[in-house]
Amino acid sequence: MTSMFARVTTFRSARDAVDGPIRFAVQRASEGMRELPGFLGLLDLSDRKSGQALVVTLWATREARDASAEFARNAAKSVAEEGHEQVISAHDYEVGHSSFSDGFPAS
């Protein structure tokens, strides 16, 4: 079993902001993340009904995830400011199980 680690940051915004402002802010804030050692991927999830959004980043090692903490704090602050969001929480996790199709990720 391959270990993987995650950081989940939760944002809250106006319901109409999840399509435009937050998506654009997440894209801008995550620039450069691909170059960080151990970075595996990013998921930007949103709930249009509540205005809540989750940004999940995946890391190859606990050390890589932990080393990205300052980048993550700065990115979350940038998303909150630019997208008129509120950062609700940020938590680190070890991924217990994952399953992806052969075609994942589909850009």
Side-chain angles (χ1 to χ4, degrees):
M1 180 171 129
T2 302
S3 293
M4 191 170 16
F5 298 84
R7 177 175 297 107
V8 179
T9 305
T10 305
F11 297 90
R12 180 161 304 138
S13 69
R15 290 183 214 174
D16 61 351
V18 296
D19 282 322
I22 191 168
R23 288 276 152 64
F24 182 68
V26 168
Q27 288 175 2
R28 286 180 44 100
S30 64
E31 289 175 4
M33 192 172 288
R34 286 179 178 260
E35 285 74 39
L36 295 177
F39 175 75
L40 297 176
L42 179 145
L43 299 170
D44 173 14
L45 312 172
S46 61
D47 179 346
R48 287 183 176 91
K49 291 180 183 178
S50 70
Q52 184 168 306
L54 302 174
V55 174
V56 180
T57 54
L58 300 172
W59 302 91
T61 66
R62 180 186 323 269
E63 293 78 17
R65 182 203 58 207
D66 294 350
S68 73
E70 184 175 350
F71 184 99
R73 279 190 298 277
N74 291 335
K77 181 179 177 186
S78 174
V79 168
E81 289 172 357
E82 188 174 333
H84 305 289
E85 311 292 323
Q86 178 184 8
V87 177
I88 302 300
S89 64
H91 296 286
D92 292 339
Y93 297 93
E94 181 171 354
V95 177
H97 174 74
S98 60
S99 179
F100 302 101
S101 71
D102 292 339
F104 183 84
S107 308

